[in-house]
Amino acid sequence: MRKIKFILQKEFIQIFRNKTMLPMIFGIPIIQLVILVHAATLEMKSIDMYVVDKDLSSLSHKLVSKFEGSPFYNISGSSFSIDEANEAIEKNQADFILHIPQGFERDLMRENSSKVQLLIDGINGTAASLVNAYSSSVIADFNRNIIVDLTQRPQIVDSNPISVETSYWYNPELNYKIYMLPGILVILVTIISMFLAAMNIVREKEIGTIEQLNVTPIKKFEFIVGKLVPFLIIALFELAFGLAIGKFFFHVPMVGSLGLLFGFAVVYLLVVLGIGLFISTISSTQQQVMFIAFFFMLVFILMSGIFTPTESMPMWAQKVNIINPFYYFMRVIRMILLKGSGFWDISREFFSLVIYAVIMLSLSVWRYRKVS
Amino acid sequence: MNDREKKENYMTKDTENIIVVKNLMKKFGSFVANDNLTFEVRKGEIFGFLGANGAGKTTAIKILSGLSFPTSGDVMVAGYDVYKERELVKKNIGYMSQKFSLYEDLTVRENIRFYGGIYGLSSKYIKEKTEDLLERLKMKDIQNSLISSLPLGWKQKIAFSVAIFHDPKIVFLDEPTGGVDPITRRDFWEMIYEASNAGITVFVTTHYMDEAEYCDRVSIMDKGRIEGMDTPGELKRQFDAQNMDEVFLKIAR
């Protein structure tokens, strides 16, 4: 055990002597959290609409101004020609076209029904369906008021006898940022710990000092522990630092126990560091490490459920997620912080990761060869 | 140290064998790096392991120091079997590789402390011995300089001191003087003699033939085999040569 102390001492001296290390440890989280949390949002603001109003009636004006009055829309252009409108979409100047045909008001007055057309740019399917949903609700709202106006009856006689009152739990304002911040924090902590650990051992291989260590009677587990603990500490520090940023800048609620969160984080980091160490034992240059680690990171991050619920992924993808460490922590950090879940709520994830950690660490101790 | 002194020194040394190698083979695929090596190294001697680049010296030294498995053959180092008792072998040997092995981003003192520590020495002992060592190397002033800021010759001296810091029975030196100037090479050999006088067996590979003259006994390798092994004087007589250079050329051609 005393030998581990000497390894730790050496690693910390090297980490803090490295001039790029401190800016990395402090700078990257600040920049990433502040930028990414704002940038990675699925909310639609300022949807560009193009108006083709062929009716030019008072009702069509009302409809257009209904859109104009909403904070989500801005009118990027208008014309009488649908071709010009299409061109605007092709040039990416508009997200959708509101097409009001001639006779809109007349039909509505005479036949009690009329049609408008929405032409939506469907390249980004998610955005398109959001535009569709938002716009449909604006039109539906307009519709309701029209009925009231035209029939001159009190609003109590609603065409929908059952109305749905929605209230959102845990994130009542549907603030996207408090959902994203924990997710991005998970990615950040993972990248820092996995890359630093993997690069560290391979660097010793590259400069040849690993050979000098291998001729000493040091035990494999002493070596692995000595290499693991510094990065575990740094990653936990990163997590605390990121949570502080979340608390003070984004007012992320922290409903659950932070002790539980950090306890879970330790197990999670053992998995991640185990993967990092394993990658370093099968690589001989820092380049190889970068490629391998990058590949897994990308796949794991996109499948982790940071943007989309994993439950809506195909079955095979959900099976793959069993080995995706991000998946577990992404769920659990949100559960603990936002919902205040306790240990028994996250026990399945916890014990899965414990098993995973044991496997990864044994693999890397086994793969680490003192003899070739 | 002149020749006569060296001879006396050698004669008084124990004749117990500290390294015993029998029919050592090491193959990489179909390439035979070490072909049926058989030799002994006596306790306390300076044993020179000579050969051209690629003759198989480093391969052999890696097997002896437990970094690499032999393909076949018996190898005993410091009384332990390199197959079964590798960790005990490692406890009793020091090793200085061809590749530079100190941490460039640590200071002289930090390097010594780290390596001392992972050999299991106590902090107090490390501290005392470090003072002593820095005194002898006349490196007190630079003890807190980073290794990266030092000239190669100094680094080699420190690397050697680190390799024998835990008082091993044997020290393996793999081309320790590669790339340093003649004066530093001389200083370095002084350090080797000091270690030898302190009772450490020295196993050194080199391709500088003048250094071969400093050894008690040398073996000369060519294409994976040992082609000659004796004292430098005896080898010169045997091959009817003026110096080790000639001996080497006669063997290698």
Side-chain angles (χ1 to χ4, degrees):
Chain A
M1 287 317 267
R2 280 192 52 257
K3 292 178 190 171
I4 295 176
K5 187 193 96 184
F6 284 97
I7 304 179
L8 291 181
Q9 185 182 40
K10 168 210 155 232
E11 294 298 333
F12 275 114
I13 293 174
Q14 286 183 309
I15 289 167
F16 290 109
R17 199 163 276 164
N18 186 336
K19 287 195 178 60
T20 56
M21 210 57 127
L22 285 181
M24 236 165 83
I25 291 171
F26 288 101
I28 290 178
I30 297 178
I31 294 170
Q32 289 210 344
L33 284 177
V34 171
I35 293 176
L36 286 185
V37 170
H38 284 289
T41 169
L42 282 183
E43 282 170 23
M44 297 282 297
K45 281 179 190 152
S46 80
I47 303 168
D48 289 323
M49 79 185 269
Y50 197 98
V51 180
V52 179
D53 181 359
K54 290 183 181 159
D55 197 44
L56 286 180
S57 58
S58 72
L59 261 185
S60 71
H61 275 300
K62 256 189 191 161
L63 179 58
V64 173
S65 59
K66 184 101 192 163
F67 276 97
E68 247 179 325
S70 152
F72 299 109
Y73 296 92
N74 66 27
I75 296 181
S76 69
S78 61
S79 118
F80 293 114
S81 146
I82 205 75
D83 291 334
E84 277 176 41
N86 278 337
E87 209 173 297
I89 290 222
E90 275 162 23
K91 285 183 180 157
N92 251 1
Q93 287 161 352
D95 297 314
F96 81 108
I97 303 165
L98 174 66
H99 181 202
I100 305 173
Q102 210 170 1
F104 169 73
E105 191 182 53
R106 190 194 59 215
D107 289 354
L108 200 61
M109 292 302 190
R110 283 198 197 147
E111 291 159 35
N112 239 352
S113 87
S114 188
K115 284 184 174 140
V116 294
Q117 186 183 27
L118 294 178
L119 294 156
I120 304 169
D121 179 355
I123 284 189
N124 181 340
T126 318
S129 56
L130 276 173
V131 169
N132 185 23
Y134 283 14
S135 307
S136 300
S137 78
V138 171
I139 294 169
D141 194 33
F142 176 75
N143 207 8
R144 236 191 323 271
N145 293 334
I146 289 290
I147 293 166
V148 176
D149 280 359
L150 291 182
T151 56
Q152 301 292 334
R153 271 192 246 152
Q155 209 172 348
I156 306 156
V157 190
D158 204 314
S159 50
N160 308 323
I162 300 171
S163 73
V164 180
E165 279 290 314
T166 316
S167 75
Y168 296 99
W169 282 24
Y170 308 122
N171 187 358
E173 287 146 38
L174 292 186
N175 178 349
Y176 204 70
K177 292 184 189 107
I178 68 168
Y179 176 72
M180 285 312 288
L181 185 126
I184 290 173
L185 189 55
V186 168
I187 294 183
L188 197 80
V189 167
T190 312
I191 290 182
I192 293 238
S193 51
M194 190 190 282
F195 275 74
L196 286 185
M199 300 285 265
N200 180 283
I201 294 190
V202 172
R203 213 174 95 84
E204 294 227 20
K205 279 191 193 173
E206 280 185 353
I207 57 180
T209 44
I210 195 101
E211 207 175 77
Q212 196 68 40
L213 289 177
N214 287 346
V215 288
T216 70
I218 191 167
K219 295 195 177 62
K220 282 185 183 185
F221 90 89
E222 292 171 324
F223 177 80
I224 297 281
V225 170
K227 286 291 184 190
L228 211 129
V229 170
F231 301 109
L232 181 67
I233 293 173
I234 289 175
L236 287 175
F237 174 80
E238 286 285 284
L239 180 62
F241 188 56
L243 286 174
I245 292 178
K247 177 101 194 154
F248 294 114
F249 292 93
F250 296 97
H251 308 290
V252 173
M254 294 179 188
V255 185
S257 144
L258 285 182
L260 179 62
L261 179 61
F262 276 85
F264 190 86
V266 169
V267 180
Y268 171 71
L269 286 167
L270 288 178
V271 175
V272 170
L273 289 167
I275 296 175
L277 291 176
F278 183 71
I279 293 174
S280 74
T281 58
I282 57 170
S283 318
S284 45
T285 64
Q286 297 193 48
Q287 248 173 358
Q288 287 173 354
V289 167
M290 286 300 269
F291 271 115
I292 299 174
F294 204 79
F295 171 76
F296 281 110
M297 284 282 188
L298 210 62
V299 174
F300 281 163
I301 288 175
L302 289 178
M303 294 187 68
S304 67
I306 179 167
F307 298 117
T308 44
T310 49
E311 286 81 0
S312 59
M313 293 179 182
M315 210 49 212
W316 61 264
Q318 296 189 39
K319 289 257 157 59
V320 172
N321 263 339
I322 292 172
I323 59 157
N324 183 353
F326 283 99
Y327 160 77
Y328 295 95
F329 200 31
M330 205 69 88
R331 279 171 75 88
V332 168
I333 193 171
R334 283 168 175 161
M335 284 168 79
I336 295 179
L337 284 183
L338 308 181
K339 274 198 239 182
S341 301
F343 179 74
W344 293 110
D345 302 318
I346 60 157
S347 59
R348 192 183 65 86
E349 285 83 358
F350 182 84
F351 290 115
S352 306
L353 279 189
V354 168
I355 295 169
Y356 200 172
V358 170
I359 293 174
M360 279 328 291
L361 291 174
S362 326
L363 266 180
S364 47
V365 169
W366 167 76
R367 259 303 307 193
Y368 169 57
R369 295 284 152 86
K370 285 185 78 181
V371 197
S372 56
Chain B
M1 201 182 292
N2 63 36
D3 275 358
R4 199 170 48 78
E5 269 173 354
K6 215 169 82 184
K7 189 119 196 151
E8 273 169 12
N9 196 3
Y10 175 53
M11 297 301 279
T12 56
K13 277 175 191 169
D14 218 319
T15 49
E16 185 190 331
N17 290 330
I18 196 156
I19 300 176
V20 182
V21 176
K22 265 189 212 137
N23 308 110
L24 167 64
M25 294 284 275
K26 177 77 182 185
K27 291 182 190 164
F28 297 103
S30 62
F31 174 72
V32 183
N34 288 158
D35 191 356
N36 217 8
L37 303 187
T38 297
F39 62 90
E40 288 94 35
V41 176
R42 290 169 204 148
K43 197 174 173 190
E45 75 177 339
I46 300 175
F47 187 82
F49 210 56
L50 274 54
N53 293 324
K57 295 172 302 196
T58 299
T59 306
I61 216 169
K62 281 193 174 166
I63 291 170
L64 293 177
S65 50
L67 280 175
S68 170
F69 279 120
T71 308
S72 65
D74 298 330
V75 183
M76 299 285 285
V77 175
Y80 300 106
D81 188 336
V82 297
Y83 290 96
K84 295 180 217 137
E85 301 164 305
R86 239 181 3 261
E87 297 309 305
L88 286 168
V89 168
K90 287 176 179 175
K91 210 169 253 178
N92 288 290
I93 61 166
Y95 171 78
M96 177 180 167
S97 76
Q98 206 170 23
K99 233 176 160 184
F100 196 63
S101 53
L102 297 171
Y103 290 94
E104 296 268 340
D105 52 352
L106 295 184
T107 66
V108 176
R109 189 177 263 282
E110 286 161 353
N111 266 291
I112 298 173
R113 183 178 60 195
F114 172 65
Y115 281 115
I118 58 172
Y119 274 102
L121 306 176
S122 76
S123 298
K124 187 164 167 272
Y125 179 79
I126 293 173
K127 211 170 172 174
E128 284 167 12
K129 194 156 180 197
T130 305
E131 292 302 328
D132 201 48
L133 176 67
L134 291 169
E135 192 78 52
R136 266 189 297 124
L137 289 173
K138 301 188 183 67
M139 288 191 182
K140 275 246 141 149
D141 311 340
I142 54 143
Q143 56 172 311
N144 293 322
S145 309
L146 296 184
I147 292 293
S148 57
S149 68
L150 303 178
L152 182 65
W154 296 22
K155 290 180 191 173
Q156 308 281 72
K157 285 185 192 173
I158 298 164
F160 178 65
S161 308
V162 166
I164 57 169
F165 192 80
H166 59 291
D167 295 313
K169 291 187 182 143
I170 310 164
V171 63
F172 292 96
L173 307 172
D174 194 5
E175 298 190 0
T177 54
V180 301
D181 63 79
I183 296 171
T184 313
R185 260 169 69 193
R186 246 212 116 79
D187 289 353
F188 196 90
W189 273 90
E190 287 298 332
M191 289 177 71
I192 292 180
Y193 279 123
E194 257 176 58
S196 173
N197 287 334
I200 299 175
T201 307
V202 179
F203 187 103
V204 54
T205 76
T206 179
H207 52 244
Y208 294 116
M209 287 308 135
D210 57 325
E211 289 186 349
E213 310 267 1
Y214 304 150
C215 299
D216 294 323
R217 266 188 334 135
V218 298
S219 82
I220 300 181
M221 268 186 96
D222 187 42
K223 298 186 188 77
R225 280 173 219 239
I226 293 180
E227 300 289 359
M229 180 161 55
D230 217 316
T231 59
E234 193 54 45
L235 279 174
K236 279 186 272 188
R237 208 166 311 137
Q238 211 177 311
F239 286 89
D240 189 25
Q242 291 294 311
N243 50 38
M244 286 305 291
D245 239 9
E246 266 180 57
V247 174
F248 183 70
L249 288 175
K250 280 186 177 165
I251 284 176
R253 281 208 179 142

